Amino acid sequence: MIFDKQKYRMQAEMLDWYSHKVNESMQKLDQLRWDRNRVLTKAYTWESKSKATYLQIMSEAAVTHFASASTGEQLKEALKREAARLREMANEMERQEKLDEPNQRQAR
């Protein structure tokens, strides 16, 4: 039982660490969005045949960006939920052990 509690808490910590890494990636993705917007703003002033192609590429990049951001947010939330569930399982085991402790003393 003690090992299970430790295992669940360790797994929760690992999920928290991974969630933090996902969050860092999401921040980089957000910076990329701002960079893309700056470039896109400049592209509107271009007077060339490649402008339409470039704007199309950037439009597709925006769709990909928002899909990635949505997936990243969903992943972060799933990791947080699972970490909380594992912690709750460990806490429930600990509560049960405390309840069982007086019963074990009385049995002796």
Side-chain angles (χ1 to χ4, degrees):
M1 202 75 128
I2 290 173
F3 296 113
D4 288 338
K5 286 188 308 187
Q6 290 172 342
K7 180 180 74 172
Y8 291 143
R9 287 193 172 115
M10 187 172 68
Q11 288 172 343
E13 289 300 316
M14 289 172 23
L15 290 175
D16 285 341
W17 175 85
Y18 187 62
S19 177
H20 177 71
K21 291 296 180 184
V22 169
N23 191 49
E24 288 175 356
S25 296
M26 295 299 295
Q27 289 174 352
K28 289 177 185 175
L29 188 60
D30 192 49
Q31 182 59 48
L32 214 85
R33 180 178 62 89
W34 284 106
D35 293 344
R36 184 189 63 80
N37 286 342
R38 277 196 296 276
V39 170
L40 195 54
T41 301
K42 290 178 184 178
Y44 282 121
T45 64
W46 293 353
E47 297 298 330
S48 72
K49 293 180 181 178
S50 65
K51 178 180 177 180
T53 302
Y54 184 78
L55 293 176
Q56 176 63 32
I57 291 168
M58 292 306 276
S59 175
E60 291 172 12
V63 170
T64 302
H65 171 267
F66 288 117
S68 298
S70 175
T71 301
E73 287 299 324
Q74 290 172 358
L75 177 58
K76 272 187 352 186
E77 291 304 313
L79 290 168
K80 287 178 185 178
R81 281 193 309 273
E82 183 61 13
R85 186 186 72 78
L86 289 168
R87 281 195 185 87
E88 184 55 36
M89 287 175 64
N91 291 340
E92 183 58 36
M93 287 180 164
E94 196 166 54
R95 281 191 291 274
Q96 190 61 44
E97 284 175 358
K98 287 180 182 177
L99 289 174
D100 291 345
E101 200 172 276
N103 294 339
Q104 289 175 354
R105 284 186 199 154
Q106 288 177 356
R108 290 181 196 164

